[in-house]
Coordinates of all heavy atoms in Angstrom, one line a residue:
Q22 N 122.4 51.9 103.7 CA 122.1 53.1 104.5 C 121.6 52.7 105.9 O 122.0 53.3 106.9 CB 121.1 53.9 103.8 CG 120.8 55.2 104.4 CD 122.0 56.2 104.4 OE1 122.8 56.2 103.5 NE2 122.1 56.9 105.5
I23 N 120.8 51.6 106.0 CA 120.4 51.1 107.3 C 121.6 50.6 108.1 O 121.7 50.9 109.3 CB 119.3 50.0 107.1 CG1 118.0 50.5 106.5 CG2 119.1 49.2 108.4 CD1 117.0 49.5 106.1
A24 N 122.5 49.9 107.4 CA 123.7 49.5 108.1 C 124.5 50.7 108.6 O 125.0 50.7 109.7 CB 124.5 48.6 107.2
L25 N 124.6 51.7 107.8 CA 125.3 52.9 108.2 C 124.6 53.6 109.4 O 125.3 54.0 110.4 CB 125.3 53.9 107.0 CG 125.8 55.3 107.3 CD1 127.3 55.3 107.7 CD2 125.7 56.2 106.0
E26 N 123.3 53.6 109.4 CA 122.6 54.3 110.5 C 122.6 53.5 111.8 O 122.5 54.0 112.9 CB 121.2 54.6 110.1 CG 121.0 55.6 109.0 CD 119.7 55.6 108.3 OE1 118.8 54.8 108.8 OE2 119.5 56.4 107.4
T27 N 122.8 52.2 111.7 CA 122.7 51.3 112.9 C 124.0 50.8 113.4 O 124.1 50.1 114.4 CB 121.7 50.1 112.7 OG1 122.2 49.4 111.6 CG2 120.3 50.6 112.4
S28 N 125.1 51.1 112.7 CA 126.4 50.5 113.0 C 127.2 51.6 113.8 O 126.9 52.7 113.8 CB 127.2 50.1 111.8 OG 126.5 49.1 111.1
E29 N 128.3 51.1 114.3 CA 129.3 51.9 115.1 C 130.7 51.6 114.6 O 130.9 50.5 114.1 CB 129.1 51.8 116.6 CG 127.8 52.2 117.1 CD 127.6 51.9 118.6 OE1 128.6 51.4 119.2 OE2 126.6 52.3 119.1
G30 N 131.6 52.5 114.9 CA 133.0 52.2 114.7 C 133.4 51.9 113.3 O 132.9 52.5 112.3
D31 N 134.2 50.8 113.1 CA 134.7 50.4 111.8 C 133.5 49.9 110.9 O 133.6 50.2 109.7 CB 135.7 49.2 111.9 CG 137.0 49.7 112.5 OD1 137.3 50.9 112.5 OD2 137.8 48.9 112.9
D32 N 132.5 49.3 111.4 CA 131.4 48.9 110.6 C 130.7 50.1 110.0 O 130.2 50.1 108.9 CB 130.4 48.0 111.4 CG 131.0 46.7 111.8 OD1 131.9 46.2 111.2 OD2 130.4 46.1 112.8
K33 N 130.6 51.1 110.8 CA 129.9 52.4 110.3 C 130.8 53.0 109.2 O 130.2 53.4 108.2 CB 129.7 53.4 111.5 CG 128.9 54.6 111.1 CD 128.7 55.4 112.3 CE 127.7 56.5 112.0 NZ 126.3 56.1 112.2
K34 N 132.1 53.0 109.4 CA 133.0 53.5 108.3 C 132.9 52.7 107.1 O 132.9 53.3 106.0 CB 134.4 53.6 108.8 CG 134.7 54.6 109.9 CD 136.1 54.5 110.4 CE 136.4 55.4 111.5 NZ 137.7 55.3 112.1
T35 N 132.8 51.4 107.2 CA 132.7 50.5 106.0 C 131.4 50.8 105.3 O 131.4 51.0 104.0 CB 132.8 49.1 106.4 OG1 134.0 48.8 107.1 CG2 132.6 48.1 105.2
A36 N 130.3 50.9 106.0 CA 129.0 51.2 105.4 C 129.0 52.6 104.7 O 128.5 52.7 103.6 CB 127.9 51.2 106.4
E37 N 129.6 53.6 105.4 CA 129.7 54.9 104.8 C 130.5 54.9 103.5 O 130.1 55.5 102.5 CB 130.3 55.9 105.8 CG 130.3 57.3 105.4 CD 130.8 58.3 106.4 OE1 131.6 57.8 107.3 OE2 130.4 59.4 106.4
K38 N 131.6 54.3 103.5 CA 132.5 54.2 102.3 C 131.7 53.5 101.2 O 131.8 53.9 100.0 CB 133.8 53.5 102.6 CG 134.8 54.3 103.4 CD 136.0 53.5 103.7 CE 137.0 54.3 104.5 NZ 138.2 53.5 104.8
F39 N 131.0 52.4 101.5 CA 130.3 51.7 100.5 C 129.2 52.6 99.8 O 129.1 52.6 98.6 CB 129.6 50.4 101.1 CG 128.9 49.6 100.1 CD1 129.5 48.6 99.3 CD2 127.5 49.8 99.9 CE1 128.9 47.9 98.4 CE2 126.8 49.0 99.0 CZ 127.5 48.1 98.2
V40 N 128.4 53.2 100.7 CA 127.3 54.1 100.2 C 127.9 55.2 99.3 O 127.5 55.4 98.2 CB 126.5 54.7 101.3 CG1 125.5 55.7 100.8 CG2 125.7 53.5 102.0
D41 N 129.0 55.8 99.8 CA 129.6 56.9 99.0 C 130.1 56.4 97.7 O 129.9 57.1 96.7 CB 130.7 57.5 99.8 CG 130.3 58.4 101.0 OD1 129.1 58.7 101.1 OD2 131.1 58.7 101.9
K42 N 130.8 55.3 97.7 CA 131.3 54.7 96.5 C 130.3 54.4 95.4 O 130.4 54.8 94.3 CB 132.2 53.5 96.7 CG 132.8 52.9 95.4 CD 133.6 51.7 95.7 CE 134.2 51.3 94.3 NZ 135.2 50.2 94.5
V43 N 129.2 53.6 95.9 CA 128.3 53.2 94.9 C 127.4 54.3 94.3 O 127.0 54.3 93.2 CB 127.4 52.0 95.3 CG1 128.2 50.8 95.7 CG2 126.5 52.4 96.5
L44 N 127.3 55.4 95.1 CA 126.5 56.5 94.7 C 127.4 57.5 93.8 O 126.8 58.4 93.2 CB 125.9 57.3 95.8 CG 124.8 56.5 96.6 CD1 124.2 57.4 97.7 CD2 123.6 56.2 95.6
K45 N 128.6 57.3 93.8 CA 129.5 58.2 93.1 C 130.1 57.5 91.8 O 130.1 58.1 90.7 CB 130.7 58.6 93.9 CG 131.6 59.6 93.3 CD 132.7 60.0 94.2 CE 132.2 60.8 95.3 NZ 133.3 61.3 96.2
Y46 N 130.4 56.2 91.9 CA 131.2 55.5 90.8 C 130.4 54.5 90.1 O 130.9 54.0 89.1 CB 132.4 54.9 91.4 CG 133.4 55.9 91.9 CD1 133.6 56.0 93.3 CD2 134.0 56.8 91.1 CE1 134.5 57.0 93.8 CE2 134.9 57.8 91.6 CZ 135.1 57.8 93.0 OH 135.9 58.8 93.5
S47 N 129.2 54.2 90.5 CA 128.4 53.2 89.7 C 127.9 53.9 88.5 O 127.8 55.1 88.4 CB 127.2 52.7 90.6 OG 127.6 52.1 91.7
Y48 N 127.6 53.0 87.5 CA 127.1 53.6 86.2 C 125.8 52.9 85.8 O 125.5 51.8 86.1 CB 128.1 53.6 85.1 CG 128.8 52.3 84.9 CD1 128.3 51.5 83.8 CD2 129.8 51.8 85.6 CE1 128.9 50.2 83.6 CE2 130.4 50.6 85.4 CZ 129.9 49.8 84.4 OH 130.5 48.6 84.1
V49 N 125.0 53.7 85.1 CA 123.6 53.3 84.7 C 123.6 53.1 83.2 O 124.1 53.9 82.4 CB 122.6 54.3 85.1 CG1 121.2 53.9 84.7 CG2 122.7 54.6 86.6
K50 N 123.0 52.0 82.8 CA 122.8 51.7 81.4 C 121.5 50.9 81.2 O 121.4 49.8 81.8 CB 123.9 51.0 80.7 CG 123.8 50.8 79.3 CD 125.0 50.1 78.7 CE 124.8 50.0 77.2 NZ 125.9 49.2 76.6
D51 N 120.6 51.4 80.5 CA 119.3 50.7 80.2 C 118.6 50.2 81.4 O 118.3 49.0 81.6 CB 119.6 49.5 79.3 CG 120.2 49.9 77.9 OD1 119.8 51.0 77.4 OD2 121.0 49.1 77.4
D52 N 118.4 51.0 82.4 CA 117.8 50.7 83.7 C 118.5 49.7 84.5 O 117.9 49.0 85.4 CB 116.3 50.3 83.4 CG 115.4 51.5 83.0 OD1 115.7 52.6 83.4 OD2 114.5 51.3 82.3
Y53 N 119.8 49.5 84.3 CA 120.6 48.6 85.1 C 121.7 49.4 85.7 O 122.2 50.4 85.0 CB 121.1 47.4 84.3 CG 120.1 46.4 84.0 CD1 119.3 46.5 82.9 CD2 119.8 45.4 84.9 CE1 118.3 45.6 82.6 CE2 118.8 44.4 84.6 CZ 118.1 44.5 83.5 OH 117.1 43.6 83.2
V54 N 122.1 49.1 86.9 CA 123.2 49.8 87.5 C 124.4 48.8 87.8 O 124.1 47.7 88.3 CB 122.8 50.4 88.9 CG1 123.9 51.1 89.5 CG2 121.6 51.4 88.7
S55 N 125.6 49.1 87.3 CA 126.7 48.3 87.6 C 127.7 49.0 88.5 O 127.9 50.2 88.5 CB 127.5 48.0 86.3 OG 126.6 47.2 85.4
M56 N 128.2 48.1 89.4 CA 129.2 48.6 90.4 C 130.4 47.7 90.3 O 130.3 46.5 90.1 CB 128.7 48.5 91.8 CG 127.3 48.9 92.1 SD 126.8 48.6 93.8 CE 125.7 47.3 93.6
N57 N 131.6 48.3 90.4 CA 132.8 47.6 90.4 C 133.3 47.6 91.9 O 133.6 48.7 92.4 CB 133.9 48.1 89.5 CG 133.5 48.0 88.1 OD1 132.8 47.0 87.7 ND2 133.9 48.9 87.2
L58 N 133.3 46.5 92.6 CA 133.6 46.4 94.0 C 134.9 45.7 94.2 O 135.1 44.6 93.6 CB 132.5 45.8 94.7 CG 131.1 46.4 94.5 CD1 130.0 45.5 95.2 CD2 131.1 47.8 95.1
Y59 N 135.7 46.1 95.2 CA 136.8 45.4 95.7 C 136.3 44.3 96.6 O 135.2 44.3 97.0 CB 137.8 46.3 96.4 CG 138.5 47.2 95.5 CD1 138.2 48.6 95.4 CD2 139.6 46.7 94.7 CE1 138.9 49.4 94.6 CE2 140.3 47.6 93.8 CZ 139.9 48.9 93.8 OH 140.6 49.7 92.9
P60 N 137.2 43.2 96.8 CA 136.7 42.1 97.6 C 136.1 42.5 99.0 O 135.1 42.0 99.4 CB 138.0 41.3 97.8 CG 138.7 41.5 96.6 CD 138.5 43.0 96.3
S61 N 136.7 43.5 99.7 CA 136.1 43.9 101.0 C 134.8 44.6 100.8 O 133.9 44.4 101.7 CB 137.1 44.9 101.7 OG 137.2 46.1 100.9
E62 N 134.6 45.3 99.7 CA 133.3 45.9 99.5 C 132.2 44.8 99.1 O 131.1 44.9 99.5 CB 133.4 46.9 98.4 CG 134.3 48.1 98.8 CD 134.8 48.9 97.6 OE1 134.8 48.4 96.4 OE2 135.2 50.1 97.8
T63 N 132.7 43.8 98.3 CA 131.8 42.7 98.0 C 131.4 41.9 99.2 O 130.3 41.5 99.4 CB 132.5 41.8 97.0 OG1 132.9 42.5 95.9 CG2 131.6 40.7 96.5
R64 N 132.4 41.7 100.1 CA 132.1 41.1 101.4 C 131.0 41.8 102.2 O 130.1 41.3 102.8 CB 133.4 41.0 102.2 CG 133.4 39.9 103.3 CD 134.7 39.7 103.9 NE 135.8 40.7 103.8 CZ 136.8 40.6 102.9 NH1 136.9 39.6 102.1 NH2 137.7 41.6 102.9
F65 N 131.1 43.2 102.2 CA 130.1 44.0 102.9 C 128.8 43.8 102.3 O 127.8 43.7 103.0 CB 130.6 45.5 102.9 CG 129.5 46.4 103.4 CD1 129.3 46.6 104.7 CD2 128.7 47.1 102.5 CE1 128.3 47.4 105.2 CE2 127.7 48.0 102.9 CZ 127.5 48.1 104.3
L66 N 128.7 43.8 100.9 CA 127.5 43.7 100.2 C 126.8 42.3 100.6 O 125.6 42.2 100.9 CB 127.7 43.8 98.7 CG 126.5 43.5 97.8 CD1 125.3 44.4 98.1 CD2 126.9 43.5 96.4
I67 N 127.6 41.3 100.5 CA 127.1 39.9 100.9 C 126.6 39.9 102.3 O 125.5 39.4 102.6 CB 128.2 38.9 100.6 CG1 128.4 38.7 99.2 CG2 127.8 37.5 101.3 CD1 129.7 37.9 98.8
N68 N 127.3 40.6 103.2 CA 126.9 40.6 104.6 C 125.5 41.3 104.8 O 124.7 40.8 105.5 CB 127.9 41.2 105.5 CG 129.1 40.3 105.7 OD1 129.0 39.1 105.6 ND2 130.2 40.9 106.0
I69 N 125.3 42.4 104.1 CA 124.1 43.1 104.3 C 122.9 42.4 103.7 O 121.8 42.4 104.2 CB 124.1 44.6 103.9 CG1 124.4 44.8 102.4 CG2 125.1 45.4 104.7 CD1 124.2 46.2 101.8
L70 N 123.2 41.7 102.6 CA 122.1 40.9 101.9 C 121.8 39.7 102.8 O 120.6 39.3 103.0 CB 122.6 40.5 100.5 CG 122.7 41.6 99.5 CD1 123.3 41.0 98.2 CD2 121.4 42.3 99.3
T71 N 122.8 39.1 103.4 CA 122.6 37.9 104.2 C 121.8 38.3 105.5 O 121.0 37.5 106.0 CB 124.0 37.3 104.6 OG1 124.7 36.9 103.4 CG2 123.8 36.1 105.5
N72 N 122.0 39.5 106.0 CA 121.2 39.9 107.2 C 119.7 39.8 107.0 O 119.0 39.8 107.9 CB 121.7 41.3 107.6 CG 123.1 41.3 108.2 OD1 123.5 40.2 108.7 ND2 123.7 42.4 108.2
Y73 N 119.3 39.9 105.7 CA 117.9 40.0 105.4 C 117.3 38.6 104.9 O 116.2 38.6 104.4 CB 117.6 41.1 104.5 CG 117.7 42.4 105.3 CD1 118.9 43.1 105.4 CD2 116.6 42.9 106.1 CE1 119.0 44.2 106.2 CE2 116.8 44.0 106.9 CZ 118.0 44.7 106.9 OH 118.1 45.8 107.7
L74 N 118.1 37.6 104.9 CA 117.7 36.3 104.5 C 116.5 35.8 105.3 O 115.6 35.0 104.8 CB 118.8 35.3 104.5 CG 119.8 35.4 103.4 CD1 120.9 34.4 103.6 CD2 119.2 35.3 102.0
K75 N 116.4 36.1 106.5 CA 115.3 35.7 107.4 C 114.0 36.1 106.9 O 113.0 35.4 107.1 CB 115.5 36.2 108.8 CG 116.7 35.7 109.5 CD 116.9 36.4 110.9 CE 117.7 37.6 110.6 NZ 118.4 38.2 111.5
A76 N 113.9 37.2 106.1 CA 112.6 37.7 105.6 C 112.1 36.9 104.4 O 111.0 37.2 104.0 CB 112.8 39.2 105.3
I77 N 112.9 36.0 103.9 CA 112.5 35.3 102.7 C 111.8 34.0 103.0 O 112.3 33.2 103.8 CB 113.7 35.0 101.8 CG1 114.4 36.4 101.4 CG2 113.4 34.2 100.6 CD1 115.7 36.2 100.7
D78 N 110.7 33.8 102.4 CA 109.9 32.5 102.6 C 110.5 31.5 101.5 O 110.5 31.8 100.3 CB 108.4 32.7 102.4 CG 107.8 33.5 103.5 OD1 108.3 33.4 104.6 OD2 106.9 34.3 103.2
I79 N 110.8 30.3 102.0 CA 111.4 29.3 101.1 C 110.2 28.6 100.5 O 109.3 28.0 101.2 CB 112.3 28.4 101.9 CG1 113.5 29.1 102.4 CG2 112.7 27.2 101.0 CD1 114.3 28.3 103.3
R80 N 110.1 28.5 99.2 CA 109.1 27.8 98.5 C 109.4 26.4 98.1 O 108.6 25.6 97.7 CB 108.7 28.6 97.2 CG 108.1 30.0 97.5 CD 107.8 30.8 96.3 NE 109.0 31.1 95.7 CZ 109.2 31.5 94.4 NH1 108.1 31.6 93.6 NH2 110.3 31.8 93.9
K81 N 110.7 26.1 98.1 CA 111.2 24.8 97.6 C 112.5 24.5 98.4 O 113.3 25.3 98.7 CB 111.4 24.8 96.1 CG 111.9 23.6 95.5 CD 112.1 23.7 94.0 CE 112.7 22.4 93.4 NZ 112.9 22.5 92.0
E82 N 112.7 23.2 98.6 CA 114.0 22.7 99.2 C 115.1 22.6 98.1 O 115.2 21.6 97.5 CB 113.8 21.4 99.9 CG 113.1 21.5 101.2 CD 113.9 22.2 102.3 OE1 115.1 22.1 102.3 OE2 113.3 22.9 103.1

Side-chain angles (χ1 to χ4, degrees):
Q22 187 64 34
I23 291 168
L25 173 61
E26 294 166 1
T27 59
S28 298
E29 297 178 357
D31 288 342
D32 291 339
K33 187 175 191 87
K34 288 178 187 175
T35 300
E37 184 175 28
K38 287 179 182 178
F39 181 86
V40 171
D41 289 344
K42 178 179 182 171
V43 299
L44 291 180
K45 187 181 291 183
Y46 298 110
S47 299
Y48 53 96
V49 181
K50 183 177 180 184
D51 300 326
D52 288 330
Y53 287 89
V54 180
S55 293
M56 318 177 247
N57 293 330
L58 305 174
Y59 287 105
S61 63
E62 296 161 338
T63 305
R64 199 169 22 259
F65 172 78
L66 174 61
I67 291 168
N68 286 335
I69 63 173
L70 294 174
T71 301
N72 288 338
Y73 288 90
L74 285 178
K75 294 175 274 205
I77 298 172
D78 292 325
I79 299 172
R80 297 177 290 162
K81 179 180 177 179
E82 284 292 325

